[in-house]
Amino acid sequence: MQRNETVVHNITLLAIETSCDDTSASVIKNGKVLSNVVSSQLIHTKYGGVVPELASRAHQKNIVHVVDLALKQAKTYISNIDVIGYTSGPGLLGSLLVGSSFAKGLSVSLKKPIVSVNHLEAHVLAPLIENQKIEFPYICLLVSGGHTQIIIVKSYSEFEIIGKTIDDAAGEAFDKTAKILGLPYPGGPLIDKYSKNGNANAYKFAIGNVPGLDFSFSGFKTSVLYFINKQAKLNATFVEQNLSDICSSIQHTIVNYLITKLQKSVNKTGINKVTIAGGVAANSLLRKELAKKAETENWEIYIPSFEYCTDNAAMIAFAAYNKFLNGITSDLEEVPFANYYKK
Ligand code: KG4
Ligand code: ZN
């Protein structure tokens, strides 16, 4: 199913995303991205994870500048904005409040409609930003720091979750094992980087034996922890000496697990259009293994650019734009929500 192309539209939309630790603003015109500014908060690095109170304070500090920059890069002015979009959840409540309050303030002062967007729905629609011709339904593997789900995307507004993690998210599996190795937060990109020259089969780690399409990562984390502790007792510089091989083995185990579950999803649903979304979709091995599936299994794969994988306001703008085209706007009384199921 494709969007109704008969709708006449000429809409400039500004969207704001502040669900976690990235302050982001984007301007899109008729579905085309004109700017996508992301300011990542470095303050959390030294704490080994996102500190909610610090995140909301940093959003407050950054948001005016980020929105201003998004307008400048789009070569437009706030007075030209027709619609405001914002992330209403799921996410950190304090962080969401900053973005939603800012968006609502703009909507009131500009007298323009406002559209709230579910962060996860925006992630799974993100592959369409660069490829609006992808036909529904498609399978999306959503892998981020907070979520791991396999979703059938049936339309711009219909999503069926067919697999999910029962404990940690895939991004957490990367970040927590990286922490065990003494790497700073977020460890996912670093494991990816150090894996480049490593042997993926150097070490074997057990990973969640969960039936069907669900995932479990907590046992994997423990398996890495026990192995590293044991080796470090025998050789204090074990991690340092074998960092590439350890990272490569961790990355290989996680990616292999994700790909195996994706293969099961394709077999079960008969849908061979596959996309990935969320921060872990930036992982180079995951992208490579998916490309292989296109060759060997004839999957139709759509891999978004890095900037649309990690948290960004362009995906919020794109989702808001499509809701707006379908006549959906939001109420100023709508409150942000922390969890997916509390929509
Ligand atoms: O979607 P995202 O930016 O934020 C949310 O969690 O919503 O995802 C962040 C996650 C972090 O866990 C980070 O370590 C992971 O994505 N990540 C990666 C890579 N780049 C980001 N994990 C593995 N390889 C990467 N290249
Ligand atoms: Zn996200």
Side-chain angles (χ1 to χ4, degrees), residues 19-22 119 123 143-147 170-172 174-175 185-189 192 251 278-284 306 309-311:
S19 65
C20 192
D21 59 339
D22 295 306
H119 181 83
H123 265 308
V143 269
S144 71
H147 301 275
E172 278 179 293
F174 273 105
D175 296 339
Y185 175 86
D192 194 350
Q251 176 172 273
V280 180
N283 183 267
S284 59
F306 289 112
C309 287
T310 48
D311 285 352

Short mmCIF file of all heavy atoms in Angstrom, two decimals, residues 19-22 119 123 143-147 170-172 174-175 185-189 192 251 278-284 306 309-311, ligand 1:
data_model
loop_
_atom_site.label_atom_id
_atom_site.label_comp_id
_atom_site.label_asym_id
_atom_site.label_seq_id
_atom_site.Cartn_x
_atom_site.Cartn_y
_atom_site.Cartn_z
N SER A 19 13.82 12.55 23.44
CA SER A 19 13.35 11.44 24.28
C SER A 19 14.42 10.89 25.22
O SER A 19 14.10 10.32 26.25
CB SER A 19 12.82 10.31 23.40
OG SER A 19 13.87 9.77 22.64
N CYS A 20 15.69 11.05 24.86
CA CYS A 20 16.74 10.48 25.70
C CYS A 20 17.87 11.50 25.90
O CYS A 20 17.69 12.50 26.57
CB CYS A 20 17.22 9.17 25.09
SG CYS A 20 18.27 8.22 26.19
N ASP A 21 19.04 11.26 25.28
CA ASP A 21 20.17 12.15 25.54
C ASP A 21 20.63 12.91 24.31
O ASP A 21 21.74 13.45 24.29
CB ASP A 21 21.34 11.36 26.16
CG ASP A 21 21.81 10.23 25.27
OD1 ASP A 21 21.04 9.80 24.39
OD2 ASP A 21 22.95 9.78 25.43
N ASP A 22 19.82 12.93 23.25
CA ASP A 22 20.14 13.74 22.06
C ASP A 22 19.09 14.82 21.91
O ASP A 22 17.90 14.52 21.89
CB ASP A 22 20.14 12.88 20.79
CG ASP A 22 21.24 11.84 20.80
OD1 ASP A 22 22.41 12.22 21.00
OD2 ASP A 22 20.93 10.65 20.63
N HIS A 119 8.04 7.63 19.43
CA HIS A 119 9.46 7.52 19.06
C HIS A 119 9.77 6.22 18.31
O HIS A 119 10.52 6.22 17.32
CB HIS A 119 10.29 7.60 20.35
CG HIS A 119 11.76 7.53 20.16
ND1 HIS A 119 12.52 8.62 19.84
CD2 HIS A 119 12.62 6.50 20.26
CE1 HIS A 119 13.78 8.27 19.75
NE2 HIS A 119 13.88 6.97 19.99
N HIS A 123 11.13 5.48 14.47
CA HIS A 123 12.30 4.67 14.11
C HIS A 123 11.98 3.69 12.98
O HIS A 123 12.75 3.54 12.04
CB HIS A 123 12.78 3.86 15.33
CG HIS A 123 13.88 4.50 16.13
ND1 HIS A 123 15.05 4.96 15.57
CD2 HIS A 123 13.99 4.73 17.46
CE1 HIS A 123 15.83 5.45 16.52
NE2 HIS A 123 15.22 5.32 17.68
N VAL A 143 16.51 -1.97 16.75
CA VAL A 143 17.53 -2.30 17.75
C VAL A 143 18.19 -1.02 18.26
O VAL A 143 18.97 -0.40 17.54
CB VAL A 143 18.60 -3.28 17.18
CG1 VAL A 143 18.21 -4.71 17.42
CG2 VAL A 143 18.88 -3.04 15.70
N SER A 144 17.86 -0.65 19.50
CA SER A 144 18.44 0.58 20.04
C SER A 144 18.93 0.32 21.46
O SER A 144 18.98 -0.83 21.90
CB SER A 144 17.39 1.69 20.03
OG SER A 144 16.42 1.44 21.01
N GLY A 145 19.26 1.40 22.17
CA GLY A 145 19.72 1.25 23.55
C GLY A 145 18.59 0.86 24.49
O GLY A 145 18.83 0.33 25.57
N GLY A 146 17.36 1.14 24.09
CA GLY A 146 16.24 0.86 24.97
C GLY A 146 15.31 -0.23 24.46
O GLY A 146 14.47 -0.73 25.20
N HIS A 147 15.43 -0.59 23.18
CA HIS A 147 14.45 -1.51 22.58
C HIS A 147 15.06 -2.50 21.62
O HIS A 147 16.04 -2.19 20.93
CB HIS A 147 13.38 -0.70 21.83
CG HIS A 147 12.66 0.26 22.71
ND1 HIS A 147 11.59 -0.08 23.47
CD2 HIS A 147 12.93 1.55 23.00
CE1 HIS A 147 11.19 0.95 24.19
NE2 HIS A 147 12.01 1.96 23.93
N ALA A 170 19.40 -4.88 22.64
CA ALA A 170 20.65 -5.20 21.93
C ALA A 170 21.72 -4.12 22.19
O ALA A 170 22.90 -4.43 22.38
CB ALA A 170 20.38 -5.35 20.44
N GLY A 171 21.29 -2.85 22.20
CA GLY A 171 22.24 -1.76 22.46
C GLY A 171 22.84 -1.88 23.85
O GLY A 171 24.03 -1.61 24.05
N GLU A 172 22.01 -2.30 24.81
CA GLU A 172 22.51 -2.50 26.18
C GLU A 172 23.53 -3.64 26.21
O GLU A 172 24.50 -3.59 26.98
CB GLU A 172 21.36 -2.86 27.12
CG GLU A 172 20.58 -1.68 27.62
CD GLU A 172 19.44 -2.15 28.52
OE1 GLU A 172 18.50 -2.80 28.01
OE2 GLU A 172 19.50 -1.87 29.72
N PHE A 174 25.59 -4.41 23.88
CA PHE A 174 26.85 -3.81 23.42
C PHE A 174 27.44 -2.93 24.52
O PHE A 174 28.62 -3.04 24.86
CB PHE A 174 26.61 -2.95 22.16
CG PHE A 174 26.67 -3.71 20.87
CD1 PHE A 174 25.53 -4.04 20.16
CD2 PHE A 174 27.90 -4.11 20.35
CE1 PHE A 174 25.58 -4.74 18.96
CE2 PHE A 174 27.97 -4.81 19.15
CZ PHE A 174 26.81 -5.12 18.46
N ASP A 175 26.60 -2.04 25.08
CA ASP A 175 27.11 -1.05 26.04
C ASP A 175 27.61 -1.70 27.33
O ASP A 175 28.63 -1.30 27.89
CB ASP A 175 26.03 -0.02 26.36
CG ASP A 175 25.63 0.80 25.13
OD1 ASP A 175 26.43 0.85 24.17
OD2 ASP A 175 24.54 1.38 25.13
N TYR A 185 30.91 4.82 27.88
CA TYR A 185 29.56 4.80 27.31
C TYR A 185 29.45 5.83 26.18
O TYR A 185 29.99 6.92 26.34
CB TYR A 185 28.54 5.11 28.41
CG TYR A 185 27.14 5.23 27.90
CD1 TYR A 185 26.33 4.12 27.76
CD2 TYR A 185 26.63 6.48 27.51
CE1 TYR A 185 25.05 4.22 27.25
CE2 TYR A 185 25.34 6.59 27.00
CZ TYR A 185 24.56 5.46 26.89
OH TYR A 185 23.29 5.56 26.38
N PRO A 186 28.76 5.57 25.09
CA PRO A 186 28.15 4.30 24.71
C PRO A 186 29.17 3.39 24.04
O PRO A 186 29.87 3.82 23.10
CB PRO A 186 27.05 4.73 23.74
CG PRO A 186 27.55 6.01 23.13
CD PRO A 186 28.48 6.64 24.12
N GLY A 187 29.24 2.14 24.49
CA GLY A 187 30.30 1.24 24.02
C GLY A 187 30.04 0.61 22.65
O GLY A 187 30.98 0.10 22.03
N GLY A 188 28.77 0.64 22.18
CA GLY A 188 28.44 0.00 20.90
C GLY A 188 29.36 0.42 19.75
O GLY A 188 30.00 -0.43 19.10
N PRO A 189 29.47 1.73 19.50
CA PRO A 189 30.32 2.16 18.39
C PRO A 189 31.79 1.76 18.58
O PRO A 189 32.50 1.51 17.61
CB PRO A 189 30.18 3.69 18.39
CG PRO A 189 28.94 3.97 19.15
CD PRO A 189 28.73 2.85 20.11
N ASP A 192 32.29 -1.88 17.74
CA ASP A 192 32.29 -1.93 16.26
C ASP A 192 33.69 -1.55 15.73
O ASP A 192 34.29 -2.25 14.92
CB ASP A 192 31.23 -0.94 15.76
CG ASP A 192 30.88 -1.12 14.29
OD1 ASP A 192 31.59 -1.88 13.61
OD2 ASP A 192 29.91 -0.50 13.82
N GLN A 251 30.70 -8.83 19.05
CA GLN A 251 29.90 -8.29 17.94
C GLN A 251 29.33 -9.41 17.08
O GLN A 251 28.14 -9.40 16.72
CB GLN A 251 30.77 -7.35 17.10
CG GLN A 251 30.06 -6.82 15.87
CD GLN A 251 30.88 -5.75 15.18
OE1 GLN A 251 30.80 -4.58 15.52
NE2 GLN A 251 31.67 -6.14 14.21
N GLY A 278 17.09 2.16 14.49
CA GLY A 278 17.62 2.29 15.86
C GLY A 278 19.14 2.37 15.83
O GLY A 278 19.77 2.03 14.81
N GLY A 279 19.72 2.78 16.95
CA GLY A 279 21.16 3.03 17.01
C GLY A 279 22.03 1.85 16.58
O GLY A 279 23.03 2.03 15.90
N VAL A 280 21.64 0.63 16.98
CA VAL A 280 22.46 -0.55 16.65
C VAL A 280 22.45 -0.83 15.13
O VAL A 280 23.33 -1.52 14.62
CB VAL A 280 22.00 -1.78 17.48
CG1 VAL A 280 22.82 -3.01 17.17
CG2 VAL A 280 22.09 -1.47 18.97
N ALA A 281 21.46 -0.26 14.43
CA ALA A 281 21.41 -0.42 12.97
C ALA A 281 22.62 0.25 12.31
O ALA A 281 22.90 0.04 11.13
CB ALA A 281 20.11 0.14 12.41
N ALA A 282 23.34 1.07 13.10
CA ALA A 282 24.57 1.68 12.57
C ALA A 282 25.73 0.68 12.57
O ALA A 282 26.79 0.95 12.00
CB ALA A 282 24.94 2.90 13.41
N ASN A 283 25.54 -0.48 13.19
CA ASN A 283 26.65 -1.45 13.32
C ASN A 283 27.10 -1.98 11.95
O ASN A 283 26.28 -2.46 11.16
CB ASN A 283 26.22 -2.61 14.22
CG ASN A 283 27.34 -3.59 14.43
OD1 ASN A 283 27.47 -4.56 13.71
ND2 ASN A 283 28.20 -3.31 15.40
N SER A 284 28.40 -1.92 11.70
CA SER A 284 28.89 -2.25 10.36
C SER A 284 28.71 -3.73 10.02
O SER A 284 28.40 -4.07 8.88
CB SER A 284 30.35 -1.82 10.21
OG SER A 284 31.13 -2.47 11.17
N PHE A 306 23.28 6.36 8.40
CA PHE A 306 23.58 6.41 9.83
C PHE A 306 22.74 7.47 10.55
O PHE A 306 22.21 7.24 11.63
CB PHE A 306 25.05 6.74 10.07
CG PHE A 306 25.97 5.62 9.70
CD1 PHE A 306 26.83 5.73 8.64
CD2 PHE A 306 25.98 4.44 10.43
CE1 PHE A 306 27.68 4.68 8.29
CE2 PHE A 306 26.82 3.39 10.10
CZ PHE A 306 27.67 3.52 9.02
N CYS A 309 19.45 6.34 11.63
CA CYS A 309 19.39 5.15 12.49
C CYS A 309 19.37 5.56 13.96
O CYS A 309 18.52 5.11 14.72
CB CYS A 309 20.62 4.27 12.26
SG CYS A 309 20.58 3.39 10.70
N THR A 310 20.32 6.38 14.36
CA THR A 310 20.38 6.81 15.77
C THR A 310 19.30 7.89 15.99
O THR A 310 18.65 8.32 15.03
CB THR A 310 21.77 7.37 16.10
OG1 THR A 310 22.13 8.29 15.10
CG2 THR A 310 22.82 6.28 16.15
N ASP A 311 19.10 8.29 17.24
CA ASP A 311 18.01 9.22 17.53
C ASP A 311 18.18 10.52 16.74
O ASP A 311 19.26 11.13 16.76
CB ASP A 311 17.95 9.51 19.04
CG ASP A 311 17.36 8.34 19.79
OD1 ASP A 311 16.86 7.40 19.14
OD2 ASP A 311 17.37 8.37 21.03
O1 KG4 B 1 18.54 4.70 18.85
P1 KG4 B 1 19.63 5.20 19.74
O2 KG4 B 1 20.49 6.33 19.24
O3 KG4 B 1 19.06 5.65 21.13
C1 KG4 B 1 18.10 4.94 21.80
O4 KG4 B 1 18.49 4.03 22.57
O5 KG4 B 1 16.89 5.23 21.59
O6 KG4 B 1 20.55 3.93 20.10
C2 KG4 B 1 21.69 4.02 20.92
C3 KG4 B 1 22.33 2.64 21.01
C4 KG4 B 1 23.45 2.57 22.06
O7 KG4 B 1 23.26 1.39 22.82
C5 KG4 B 1 24.72 2.47 21.20
O8 KG4 B 1 25.76 1.77 21.81
C6 KG4 B 1 24.18 1.72 20.00
O9 KG4 B 1 22.91 2.28 19.76
N1 KG4 B 1 25.06 1.89 18.81
C7 KG4 B 1 25.78 0.88 18.27
C8 KG4 B 1 26.50 1.44 17.18
N2 KG4 B 1 26.19 2.78 17.11
C9 KG4 B 1 25.29 3.02 18.11
N3 KG4 B 1 25.87 -0.42 18.60
C10 KG4 B 1 26.69 -1.20 17.86
N4 KG4 B 1 27.42 -0.72 16.81
C11 KG4 B 1 27.36 0.57 16.44
N5 KG4 B 1 28.08 1.02 15.41
#
